[in-house]
Amino acid sequence: MKRTGTKNFFGNLLKDVDCVIFILSAVSHGTMYAVKEVAADLGIKVVYQRSKGISGVLQAVHDNVAF
C-alpha cells in the first residue's frame, strides 16, 4: 500500500544532502523503500549500516561523506 505524499515529503528533505545512511535496526521497510527511491532519483548515495551504535554510524559518515 503506497502512502500519498511520501515521495514529496522525503524529496524535500533530501534535496540538500550528500548521503543517506540507513540504520537497519531503526528504519521501517516502507520508509526505507521510499527514501531509497527518492535518493536514486536525485543521485544521492545510500549506505546501509547494520550497527545501531553511535561509533558505527559515525564511521559510516566519515567513510561516505566528504568534509
Side-chain angles (χ1 to χ4, degrees), residues 24-59:
L24 294 178
S25 61
V27 67
S28 69
H29 283 90
T31 299
M32 183 179 66
Y33 292 131
V35 171
K36 186 169 77 168
E37 185 177 338
V38 172
D41 292 344
L42 295 174
I44 298 170
K45 183 176 182 176
V46 177
V47 176
Y48 301 93
Q49 178 66 32
R50 291 191 185 280
S51 170
K52 62 182 174 181
I54 190 68
S55 61
V57 174
L58 289 175
Q59 186 64 43

Side-chain angles (χ1 to χ4, degrees), residues 1-28:
M1 173 194 236
K2 290 192 175 190
R3 297 181 202 168
T4 57
T6 304
K7 277 185 74 172
N8 289 333
F9 176 75
F10 289 120
N12 291 333
L13 288 176
L14 296 178
K15 282 191 284 192
D16 299 323
V17 301
D18 296 328
C19 178
V20 174
I21 299 176
F22 285 116
I23 303 170
L24 294 178
S25 61
V27 67
S28 69

